[in-house]
Amino acid sequence: MTMPVLVRHWSQLPLGAPGRSLVEASAGTGKTWTIAVLYLRLLLEPASAFKVDQLVVTTFTDAAAQELRERLRHSLRDALALADAITAGQPAPEAPGEDQAWLLARWVNVDARAEDRLRLRLA
């Protein structure tokens, strides 16, 4: 049996081992946002990235599931739009959000940005 790994920040969650991740927090604390950014990490970060059909994200109610679906799609579209804008030579946002800052740091490497754009399109 594997012991749980507790992390305080989404960027610290190890993605290498197979398994499950539980995001638990009080209402209004950013669980859905955190799930969306972890979803992006799983699609983009590993050398052998996951595909959408390999990831399962669940919640407890139909309404919450619908919100989560919409948020994940929105997150993917926003990331792709940012990648396309940067590739087209547009300036980065002046005050990027935490997730955008993570993406922009990844995309200093042009090859990584090209690979991420492909993965985002496929997602």
Side-chain angles (χ1 to χ4, degrees):
M1 178 183 206
T2 307
M3 295 301 295
V5 176
L6 300 176
V7 297
R8 294 197 175 273
H9 194 267
W10 59 268
S11 64
Q12 298 171 340
L13 184 68
L15 302 179
R20 298 179 183 129
S21 296
L22 171 68
V23 177
E24 182 179 26
S26 300
T29 57
K31 290 181 297 297
T32 304
W33 183 91
T34 300
I35 290 168
V37 77
L38 288 174
Y39 194 83
L40 272 176
R41 280 189 65 206
L42 288 166
L43 291 172
L44 302 179
E45 213 171 79
S48 186
F50 291 92
K51 295 182 175 90
V52 170
D53 62 353
Q54 295 174 301
L55 300 172
V56 177
V57 180
T58 63
T59 189
F60 293 102
T61 67
D62 288 338
Q66 179 60 31
E67 178 189 352
L68 192 52
R69 266 191 301 274
E70 290 173 12
R71 190 77 67 92
L72 292 175
R73 285 185 188 121
H74 186 74
S75 176
L76 293 173
R77 277 190 229 117
D78 284 353
L80 182 56
L82 179 61
D84 288 345
I86 298 300
T87 300
Q90 295 176 15
E94 286 186 32
E98 193 175 345
D99 54 340
Q100 290 176 323
W102 171 74
L103 289 168
L104 291 168
R106 286 181 57 78
W107 296 340
V108 168
N109 178 320
V110 176
D111 293 335
R113 184 174 64 230
E115 177 67 24
D116 284 359
R117 287 177 71 211
L118 176 61
R119 290 178 182 188
L120 288 165
R121 277 191 184 82
L122 292 173

